[in-house]
Amino acid sequence: AKSESAPPRPRVTILATGGTIAGAGASAADSATYQAAKVPVEQLLAGVPQLADLAEVRGEQVFQLASESFGNEQLLALGRRVADLAENPEVDGIVITHGTDTLEETAYFLTLVERTNKPIVVVGSMRPGTALSADGALNLYNAVAVAGNPQARGKGVLVTLNDEIHSGRDVAKALNIKTEAFKSPWGPLGMVVEGKSYWFRLPAKRHTLDSEFDIRRIDSLPRIDIAYAYGNLDDTAYRAFAQAGAKAIVHAGTGNGSVAAPLVPALRVLREEGLQIIRSSRADQGGFVLRNAEQPDDRYDWVVAHDLNPQKARILAMVALTRTQDSKELQRIFWEY
Ligand SMILES: NC(=O)CC[C@H](N)C(=O)O
């Protein structure tokens, strides 16, 4: 018998929500044609026995969904479950398996509302587990490695795919089909290779323990819609969203979040009626919208999303509007998170 016992393994809980990482195709050649959200969490974990070398893992099936079907109820339910686990002294880290389509929205939501410095890692895959060169098993292995690593504490919600560690705030699905689908405009935070993490950057924006938001204080999220800008645009979608009860509209604007001249009067009226107007950019991977550039935001009382893409701007605005209706406060929040 060994005289020394092995060091205790970190305890990592895996919350499974569906996606391609839980997908199954008819044949191994089906890398893009398959059904997402099929494989239960126990089977996912059993498929990667090497997880036991990294951590004491346990799995929980939270949903079984393709992530494009996530609604605000799912965000709130998942957020509350993560908070329960974060408060549990027997949990050292949390991994969330997730479809990749809206993974960036969930990761940003959690980074805003989870008041913990325990590692929270969101992970997905681009190919189902049944495919040749499936990427899910290694992505999951890397996610558990990061979630069990004390160095991952206090860095906000993280995302691991393709051997990279990204900030959940920055990362977005920039490509489909390809396994290098996730990009951060300001670069990844690090790499995870063979279960070892290598860090190069830290997030500069407020998150988790340093956030003023708390999932425990959020009962519901307001309706916020995104209107996509293009040539020949009119105000139909904006008015319809307002009619449907939107509290804010994120304008996914061209370039610097520019607004077509014929649309400006309609957006000014909507603002006067109480909706927040948030200018973002449809330029993915580097949209950067500044106040009073392109449009006089001070005069119109509009808000700019700065570097957040439209879908992340929607998440931040939903969370912010649970605390304030003041456009100046909303703008402050957009600078700080
Ligand atoms: N690669 C994926 O995970 C995409 C599958 C599915 N559309 C989802 O987001 O859940």
Side-chain angles (χ1 to χ4, degrees):
K2 275 197 208 161
S3 54
E4 285 170 39
S5 57
R9 292 173 301 168
R11 294 153 301 178
V12 173
T13 298
I14 299 180
L15 299 178
T17 74
T20 296
I21 196 163
S27 105
D30 292 340
S31 59
T33 311
Y34 57 86
Q35 279 191 287
K38 284 281 150 206
V39 178
V41 65
E42 292 313 329
Q43 199 180 323
L44 270 188
L45 301 193
V48 196
Q50 297 81 359
L51 296 178
D53 303 335
L54 298 171
E56 197 182 303
V57 288
R58 47 174 291 279
E60 243 179 74
Q61 193 76 49
V62 184
F63 321 118
Q64 191 59 290
L65 284 173
S67 68
E68 65 273 19
S69 302
F70 263 54
N72 290 348
E73 318 95 88
Q74 278 79 24
L75 284 182
L76 291 171
L78 179 64
R80 290 180 185 130
R81 188 63 196 128
V82 169
D84 292 343
L85 293 169
E87 280 167 17
N88 183 340
E90 285 170 17
V91 174
D92 298 310
I94 301 156
V95 167
I96 298 154
T97 62
H98 201 292
T100 53
D101 288 1
T102 64
L103 187 151
E104 70 210 64
E105 298 178 33
T106 299
Y108 189 39
F109 177 72
L110 297 175
T111 217
L112 295 172
V113 301
E114 298 298 336
R115 310 274 303 167
T116 181
N117 61 8
K118 287 186 186 174
I120 301 169
V121 183
V122 192
V123 62
S125 77
M126 295 305 292
R127 298 176 182 147
T130 47
L132 295 168
S133 293
D135 54 334
L138 182 55
N139 287 349
L140 182 59
Y141 182 81
N142 285 337
V144 169
V146 173
N149 182 350
Q151 285 182 6
R153 292 171 71 93
K155 292 187 166 72
V157 173
L158 303 168
V159 171
T160 56
L161 275 102
N162 206 35
D163 293 357
E164 292 176 334
I165 308 169
H166 288 266
S167 156
R169 181 218 183 247
D170 290 347
V171 78
K173 188 175 188 177
L175 305 170
N176 62 339
I177 303 284
K178 298 181 181 179
T179 52
E180 74 262 38
F182 280 75
K183 308 282 180 196
S184 292
W186 314 115
L189 301 182
M191 295 277 292
V192 49
V193 181
E194 296 179 347
K196 208 166 170 308
S197 305
Y198 302 87
W199 302 92
F200 299 96
R201 300 174 204 284
L202 289 174
K205 296 291 186 169
R206 292 176 70 176
H207 60 75
T208 55
L209 274 187
D210 185 37
S211 172
E212 70 201 81
F213 308 110
D214 185 342
I215 188 71
R216 299 296 189 205
R217 292 163 63 191
I218 301 177
D219 300 322
S220 65
L221 293 166
R223 177 181 181 127
I224 296 184
D225 291 292
I226 301 171
Y228 197 89
Y230 44 86
N232 205 43
L233 182 62
D234 71 13
D235 62 358
T236 308
Y238 299 79
R239 283 190 291 104
F241 286 141
Q243 192 91 51
K247 298 288 178 263
I249 295 177
V250 176
H251 170 73
T254 37
N256 302 334
S258 52
V259 183
L263 192 60
V264 169
L267 296 197
R268 293 189 67 184
V269 168
L270 291 176
R271 177 68 199 113
E272 275 154 25
E273 290 170 1
L275 266 83
Q276 302 286 350
I277 301 295
I278 302 166
R279 294 195 299 119
S280 67
S281 176
R282 70 175 198 181
D284 58 338
Q285 289 309 297
F288 193 90
V289 183
L290 290 171
R291 276 191 80 77
N292 303 312
E294 292 283 353
Q295 290 291 333
D297 298 294
D298 288 348
R299 185 143 73 87
Y300 297 167
D301 198 22
W302 293 349
V303 169
V304 295
H306 200 33
D307 70 317
L308 293 176
N309 70 23
Q311 55 273 29
K312 285 181 188 275
R314 173 184 163 269
I315 295 289
L316 180 57
M318 284 198 302
V319 170
L321 291 181
T322 65
R323 299 290 302 280
T324 182
Q325 308 305 313
D326 181 80
S327 61
K328 302 223 167 30
E329 265 292 280
L330 186 60
Q331 184 65 76
R332 173 192 63 80
I333 288 165
F334 267 91
W335 294 132
E336 292 182 4
Y337 294 84

